[in-house]
Structure formats: structure tokens, C-alpha cells
Amino acid sequence: MSELVEIRWHARAGQGAVTAAKLVAETALSQGRYMQAMPEYGPERTGAPLKAYTRVCDTPIEVHNNITNPQIVVVLDETLLDLENVTEGMAQDGTVILNTRMTPAEAREKLGVSDKVTVATVDASGIAMATIHRNIPNTPIVAALSKVTGVIPYDEFVQHLKTTFGKKFSQQIIDANLESVKRAYEEVQQ
Amino acid sequence: MAERAEQKIVSATGNMMVTEAFRQADPDVVCAYPITPQTTIVEGFAKCVANGQVHTEFVTVESEHSSMSACIGSAQAGARTFTATSSQGLAYMYEELPIAAGMRLPIVMANANRAISAPINIHCDHSDVMGARDTGWLLFFAEDAQEAYDNTMIAIRTAEDKDVQLPVMTTLDGFITTHAMERAELMNDEAAKEFLGERTPLFPLLDTENPIAAGMFADQDSYFELHKALRDAVTASKPVIKRIGDEWAELSGRPFDFVDAWGCDDADYIIVVLGSAAGNARHQARLLREKGVKAGVARIRVFRPFPYEELVAALHGAKAVAVLDRSENFGGEYGPVGLEVATALYNAKETIPLKNYMFGLGGHDVTLEQMEQVYEDLEKLAAGTIDGSIEYLGNR
């Protein structure tokens, strides 16, 4: 059971956190692994804070509750840092991936976490605005997550993105997303 | 003996898997009204209809009461008939539910298990389905998305079997199972369709060569006897469910049991539970076994007909048993699952100490810590230092 990885996503509705949670899970599935992805459901209002969860494991996953002790926390909206303790219950040697213009050192201070915690930052919103032209930072932040944690391989993720987005979106949107992913992978700092 | 059939690994929610089962069964009629968290089942199926993947008359109605009424008419006419609902929708159908069973109509309904108002709540518990417990419907409970699919396949065959001819409710836990995306296996269409076959109605209303009257009056001279006959029919469905479940198990490679007894052979302490919470109990039981505590989990997959013998066999030899209930019995003591387990043990002359817990109402998170507490309690229960009275698990 030690290979189970639990990720908690903090975001505002409309930023694509649920899609991100599923992208990670489905990429893991494409590698033949087991996974779960689910949002914490409540009234759905664009801009309202929400949590989502991803579990990835090499063996079948049988627990079905919310994730309270994640190894990885991903924050898609830095204004949430003033509203909730995003690292609550996180593993002592956990990892935080933050969508912000802050440096990792500034983010670490803001989060108030120990040196054992890995803190990585990427301006996913800036990248999304420059590439997709909308503030939907979900695909770039997954690229950052992949680079920092290795929970899913980057190449597998890009391949999965091409496949799933290929069914839904125009080539222009797919290319913009691929560009955002590439930039985030290169620009994430820790 | 069936050969193992080819299956596809998919990422799917429980609702998507129910929709897939419905699609493969290609029902003649689906009549449904949307309600959270069931909606994506009928949404998904409406797409199948629009895309021409099925040959179904999809009847949209203004309420669940009308939905079940239309299903009753359709099933009596001879059509393979499905629907789906949840919570207040199931409650609104209530008047029609015993009619479907009393007229022996093989309707299959998926229910997304959700709390009943008030207060209004869209999350999982079993108070909706337990409110429909005594209506003569067979009741299946899925643990995950995979089983939501498997149970629906078994439900369709069971309902329509000539020796059953009863409505079946195949239930999955709201949001936890209906909306969480998981890895699952989907049977190839050809093998699925061959397994499901087509409905052969025994006395269809549209068979004008052999006219019948349906929905008749039954007075003091026959109502009582007809209820006994319905009771016998529900009980007698058990070997048929077993036969069909085993057939599906051979085809799919996934075992079928009325009671999924994990570690029960040598367990001292056993948790009995329905639905998605079983995985959490099992996870905790595995952790305890690493510490030398003989923990087990008996998950009931078929609640109606109730598998008394299988449950007693699973619990036999335990030092203490906990039953987790996800629906209330206000003013009573034990919840509906607790009452069944107590009946099973008493009638089998088993004297294992028993304790009942109310848990997870309205989507209250089911944690590993709660399961750990239950197993700790069971040691005390076996030692006689606590009693078996009901407790609210994790209540603030």
C-alpha cells in the first residue's frame, strides 16, 4: 500500500481543477495503474473555493473517502492561501505546487511550512493567459506537478492530453495547451 | 461454462458504468426524471438514444411518480424497461414501487443513494433506498463503479428471468460512487449483449391473441395469499441471482457473492457494512492484521433477498461483530442492517456480541479513524466492558 499517492487540489470553480485531477488519474491509467479522481461536491458556483482529489496506485485502491493527509497539495489560486490552510494534514515531507508569481522562498514563507516540505511555484495563470488567452491554469500546473513530483511522466501526460483534448477541441486550442504545458514544465521553480 | 470474455479498461464514474450497462442492454423503454446525483445516468443514456446507439423509446416525464407509472405500463406491455432515480425522487415514486413488485414486473432501476430531506442534502446515505426496503423490490448494493456495472448486468437478467419476474433496484453510493472516476473494466458489446439476451415477457398486455387483465382487485379472500406468494417469490429469487451472478463472474473474471467476506474465516472482529464504505473498513482491517489483530469485513452485496445463511457463515466464530448503518431508524434501536444481522444471528442460535453504528449520514466523511475506533470497540465489546447499543460514529 506504500505506493499510494494522494493529491489534494485547491482551486476556485472554473479554473479546471476537476479536469486536472482527472488528467493526472487518466494518465496514470494509461500506464496501467489504478486511480481515483473526484471533486468534493457542493453547490457549484464559478469562483467558489473547491477541493478535488486524485489517488494513484500500482495496486487496486479500495478507500473511498476524502483525502485528509495528502503527499501532494496543488493550489491553483493563490488568493485561497488567505482563506484556508491548504497544507492541513499534509505529509511532513510533502510537496506543494503553487500557481503564483512568488518565488519558492516567498511562497514557503507565506505557507509557513518546514524545510522538509518541497515548495514549487509556477506562474500558471500568466502562462495560460499568454498561450490559451484565458485564466485556466489547470494544464500548465499539471506539467509542473509532473516535473516536480514525477507522479506521472511528462511525456505520458502530453500524449494523454493530445488524445483527450483531440476529441473535444480545435487544433488551435490543443496547440495552445501544449505550449502552456511546455512552458510550465520549463518555468516551474523549486 | 462460459469462457472469459474480452474487456476494455476504462476510466469511468459509477454513473457512466450504469449508462454503459443500459446501453448494452438496449432497453425498449427508459422513462426517467433527472435528480442529483443520478442525473448523469439519464443524461448519458439520452445521448445514446440521440446517437442511435440504442433502439429505445426514451420517455421524458414531469416527475418520478409519472416515471414509475410509465415504467409499470411499459413493463406490463412486455417491454424491457429501465429507469433511474435518487433520494426525493425515489420517495416520490414510493406509491408506485409496491405496484411494480405486486404485479411482478421486471423493471430495473438504478438508484444513486442519497440522503432524504430535511435538511436538504445531496450527498450519500442509504435512507432513500431503505425507505423502499419493504416494497418487494430486490435490492443490490455496489461498492464501486465496477460493481455498479456488474450489479446492473446481473439485475437485468435476474429481473427478467422466468423464475423471478420482479423489479430490481441496483444502487450505488451518491457522489462517492456515482461521480468519482475510477479504473473499471467494460465487457465487449457482443459478449455483454449475448449475456443479457432479450426479454421474453410471460404475459404481455400487448399479446392480443392471449388477452389478460392486469392490476386487479384482490379482497380478503386473496390479498393475504398473494402477499405470501410475493414473499416466496422474493426469497426464491436467491438461487437464480446466484446462478446469474456466477455466470457473469465466469465471463468477467470478477467474483460474485451475496456477502463479500474478507478475512472472515479466522476473524475475531468483523465489520458488516453495505456499499462504498466497505473498502475503508477493509483497508483498516489490513492495517490491523499487520499488527496481529484478526480483523474482517463482511460486505453485503445483495440486501433483498437477504443472505441470512451466507452472513451467518461469514460471522461464525467471531468474538464480536459491528454493523454499520447508513440510514436511521428513529425511535428504534438498531438500523435496518443491524436488525437483519441480529435476526440472522439469533435464528442461527449464535450468541456473538453485536454492536450497531450509525455512520456517514448525508455524506459525512467515512474515515479510517472511524473504522479503527469500531475495531477497538469490538475488543471491548468482546470483553464485556461496553454494550451493544447504537452509536453515532464520528459525531462531533
Side-chain angles (χ1 to χ4, degrees):
Chain A
M1 285 176 274
S2 56
E3 63 274 49
L4 175 68
V5 179
E6 296 187 311
I7 307 169
R8 188 171 67 206
W9 306 79
H10 297 259
R12 291 182 182 276
Q15 293 183 309
V18 178
T19 301
K22 288 179 179 174
L23 280 171
V24 173
E26 288 178 344
T27 303
L29 180 74
S30 70
Q31 297 180 281
R33 298 155 84 191
Y34 292 81
M35 54 68 163
Q36 285 177 359
M38 63 279 187
E40 186 175 76
Y41 281 91
E44 290 180 28
R45 297 154 296 168
T46 301
L50 67 78
K51 290 180 198 144
Y53 307 99
T54 304
R55 285 190 175 96
V56 171
C57 194
D58 293 334
T59 53
I61 303 165
E62 54 188 359
V63 292
H64 281 99
N65 52 334
N66 295 337
I67 293 172
T68 49
N69 303 108
Q71 283 100 325
I72 301 167
V73 168
V74 185
V75 184
L76 280 91
D77 191 308
E78 65 179 319
T79 65
L80 294 172
L81 299 181
D82 296 323
L83 297 180
E84 51 192 278
N85 178 11
V86 296
T87 58
E88 186 179 6
M90 191 181 70
Q92 289 189 344
D93 58 350
T95 301
V96 183
I97 317 275
L98 187 57
N99 171 21
T100 180
R101 290 180 184 174
M102 282 189 274
T103 64
E106 288 165 347
R108 181 181 296 281
E109 195 183 330
K110 175 83 177 171
L111 289 164
V113 291
S114 81
D115 291 345
K116 289 179 189 164
V117 173
T118 303
V119 177
T121 63
V122 62
D123 182 14
S125 288
I127 293 171
M129 287 303 289
T131 53
I132 312 165
H133 307 300
R134 287 178 71 186
N135 185 8
I136 305 178
N138 60 351
T139 48
I141 208 142
V142 173
L145 168 77
S146 165
K147 183 171 182 180
V148 175
T149 67
V151 61
I152 49 166
Y154 177 71
D155 292 342
E156 294 265 0
F157 166 60
V158 170
Q159 190 52 48
H160 179 70
L161 198 61
K162 284 180 186 167
T163 313
T164 50
F165 277 31
K167 291 175 193 161
K168 280 195 268 184
F169 298 116
S170 69
Q171 193 60 42
Q172 196 184 355
I173 292 176
I174 298 165
D175 290 344
N177 271 282
L178 292 174
E179 176 62 18
S180 77
V181 161
K182 185 162 165 280
R183 276 192 53 186
Y185 189 80
E186 287 163 0
E187 293 175 23
V188 63
Q189 297 176 16
Q190 56 175 306
Chain B
M1 287 286 171
E3 295 264 319
R4 180 84 61 87
E6 194 186 322
Q7 296 177 91
K8 187 167 76 174
I9 292 173
V10 294
S11 73
T13 65
N15 279 357
M16 287 162 73
M17 293 305 280
V18 171
T19 304
E20 286 295 299
F22 278 19
R23 178 186 63 75
Q24 291 176 325
D26 198 356
D28 301 303
V29 174
V30 166
C31 182
Y33 189 81
I35 180 169
T36 301
Q38 157 267 29
T39 304
T40 50
I41 297 177
V42 274
E43 257 178 26
F45 191 76
K47 276 184 195 161
C48 295
V49 175
N51 292 339
Q53 293 167 286
V54 289
H55 308 84
T56 304
E57 184 71 32
F58 187 82
V59 188
T60 54
V61 281
E62 83 291 357
S63 76
E64 288 86 356
H65 189 278
S66 300
S67 157
M68 185 47 65
S69 301
C71 285
I72 287 168
S74 155
Q76 185 64 66
R80 174 174 276 183
T81 305
F82 302 162
T83 186
T85 193
S86 181
S87 185
Q88 305 302 119
L90 183 64
Y92 196 22
M93 273 182 191
Y94 183 87
E95 189 190 38
E96 304 296 317
L97 295 176
I99 298 174
M103 290 173 68
R104 305 289 301 271
L105 300 174
I107 300 162
V108 172
M109 172 160 64
N111 189 68
N113 301 327
R114 170 186 147 182
I116 288 280
S117 299
I120 190 166
N121 177 297
I122 59 170
H123 297 283
C124 174
D125 71 31
H126 297 161
S127 45
D128 54 355
V129 51
M130 288 303 175
R133 183 190 63 179
D134 300 337
T135 55
W137 284 62
L138 309 190
L139 301 177
F140 297 175
F141 282 80
E143 178 176 333
D144 54 18
Q146 181 68 66
E147 219 171 73
Y149 175 69
D150 293 338
N151 281 0
T152 306
M153 301 300 269
I154 296 165
I156 294 164
R157 276 280 303 278
T158 299
E160 296 175 358
D161 191 279
K162 70 174 172 48
D163 294 327
V164 177
Q165 301 286 314
L166 284 167
V168 185
M169 208 184 303
T170 173
T171 81
L172 57 164
D173 284 348
F175 288 111
I176 301 164
T177 311
T178 59
H179 282 64
M181 184 158 271
E182 294 185 276
R183 171 174 163 145
E185 292 178 346
L186 181 67
M187 182 62 65
N188 75 76
D189 280 1
E190 196 186 345
K193 285 175 185 297
E194 194 184 322
F195 173 82
L196 291 165
E198 288 187 7
R199 181 183 171 200
T200 310
L202 291 185
F203 306 105
L205 207 55
L206 292 184
D207 179 3
T208 50
E209 301 286 305
N210 300 287
I212 60 156
M216 302 302 289
F217 209 82
D219 243 326
Q220 302 95 315
D221 63 345
S222 51
Y223 183 91
F224 192 73
E225 282 69 23
L226 286 169
H227 258 53
K228 175 65 165 62
L230 181 57
R231 162 177 273 268
D232 291 346
V234 172
T235 306
S237 69
K238 215 176 133 193
V240 181
I241 298 169
K242 179 70 181 150
R243 171 169 56 75
I244 294 166
D246 285 348
E247 195 184 317
W248 181 249
E250 287 223 14
L251 201 62
S252 66
R254 294 180 292 275
F256 174 82
D257 289 295
F258 289 90
V259 176
D260 170 21
W262 186 90
C264 291
D265 283 352
D266 67 341
D268 290 332
Y269 309 109
I270 299 176
I271 288 177
V272 181
V273 67
L274 304 174
S276 61
N280 293 37
R282 224 163 35 235
H283 187 85
Q284 189 59 37
R286 279 184 218 275
L287 297 176
L288 288 171
R289 280 198 172 248
E290 286 172 16
K291 295 180 191 167
V293 179
K294 288 182 183 170
V297 178
R299 176 178 63 91
I300 299 166
R301 182 165 167 181
V302 176
F303 191 74
R304 284 289 180 272
F306 194 84
Y308 292 100
E309 297 83 5
E310 290 81 356
L311 190 74
V312 169
L315 302 184
H316 181 76
K319 289 178 181 164
V321 169
V323 184
L324 309 190
D325 261 288
R326 209 162 190 167
S327 58
E328 252 295 5
N329 173 14
F330 298 111
E333 182 69 19
Y334 280 13
V337 190
L339 289 172
E340 294 297 354
V341 178
T343 303
L345 293 177
Y346 187 84
N347 284 346
K349 299 186 169 53
E350 292 275 3
T351 55
I352 309 166
L354 193 61
K355 191 167 177 66
N356 195 199
Y357 295 84
M358 205 54 66
F359 83 107
L361 301 181
H364 190 250
D365 199 26
V366 181
T367 64
L368 295 176
E369 289 75 20
Q370 290 169 13
M371 297 300 161
E372 190 176 15
Q373 188 206 318
V374 171
Y375 282 117
E376 280 172 11
D377 282 359
L378 286 180
E379 293 188 38
K380 294 177 197 158
L381 184 68
T385 55
I386 59 169
D387 68 16
S389 57
I390 189 117
E391 270 190 43
Y392 258 64
L393 193 56
N395 190 37
R396 279 188 287 139

